[in-house]
Amino acid sequence: LPDGVNISKEARSAISRAASVFVLYATSCANNFAMKGKRKTLNAGDVLSAMEEMEFQRFVAPLKESLEVYRREQKGKKEARRDKDKKADSEEQDKSREEENDDDDERMEEEEQNEEEEVDN
């Protein structure tokens, strides 16, 4: 909205109700597409098809663009998480190897002490 525009509480309420009705109608239409596909879960394709059926074709292109941006972001997050997990696993393996080496060193020292004690006896 341009600067200096005020909206009354009644207008805000009316816009809110209209948005709710729109979302419910869009969900109902998308649900019909899911049911035709013998699915219980709505997907992005169902929503896009519902927009076309509701004659809101002008929203389809921006919604597809937003969906692609969202998917790229999610893919990036997933890859970052995977890389972080790999790094953590690698560090954990390094620690485990260090601990094994420490244990081996301790065993070798004990064996050397035992051998020295046997020689002394």
Side-chain angles (χ1 to χ4, degrees):
L1 294 172
D3 290 336
V5 174
N6 294 322
I7 301 174
S8 71
K9 288 183 181 181
E10 289 176 354
R12 287 183 198 167
S13 178
I15 291 170
S16 177
R17 283 191 219 127
S20 294
V21 170
F22 174 79
V23 169
L24 289 171
Y25 181 56
T27 303
S28 176
C29 289
N31 188 48
N32 290 339
F33 282 101
M35 287 173 40
K36 287 178 189 174
K38 297 181 181 177
R39 293 177 284 110
K40 292 184 179 182
T41 303
L42 301 180
N43 61 34
D46 298 329
V47 174
L48 294 171
S49 297
M51 288 293 124
E52 289 178 5
E53 183 177 293
M54 293 166 41
E55 298 182 8
F56 284 100
Q57 290 88 352
R58 67 178 181 206
F59 292 122
V60 172
L63 283 172
K64 284 182 180 179
E65 289 174 16
S66 296
L67 180 60
E68 287 303 313
V69 168
Y70 172 78
R71 286 179 175 164
R72 279 194 300 268
E73 288 175 357
Q74 293 303 307
K75 187 176 180 180
K77 286 180 183 178
K78 189 181 268 188
E79 288 173 357
R81 204 174 308 124
R82 193 177 311 128
D83 291 344
K84 184 178 178 182
D85 289 346
K86 283 182 182 179
K87 183 178 179 184
D89 287 346
S90 175
E91 289 174 357
E92 197 172 293
Q93 288 175 351
D94 290 345
K95 272 186 178 178
S96 159
R97 286 187 195 122
E98 287 176 12
E99 289 173 359
E100 286 176 10
N101 289 339
D102 289 345
D103 290 345
D104 289 344
D105 291 344
E106 287 176 16
R107 269 189 247 121
M108 288 178 70
E109 287 176 12
E110 286 176 11
E111 288 175 7
E112 287 175 3
Q113 286 176 353
N114 289 340
E115 287 176 6
E116 287 177 6
E117 287 176 5
E118 287 177 10
V119 170
D120 289 342
N121 289 335

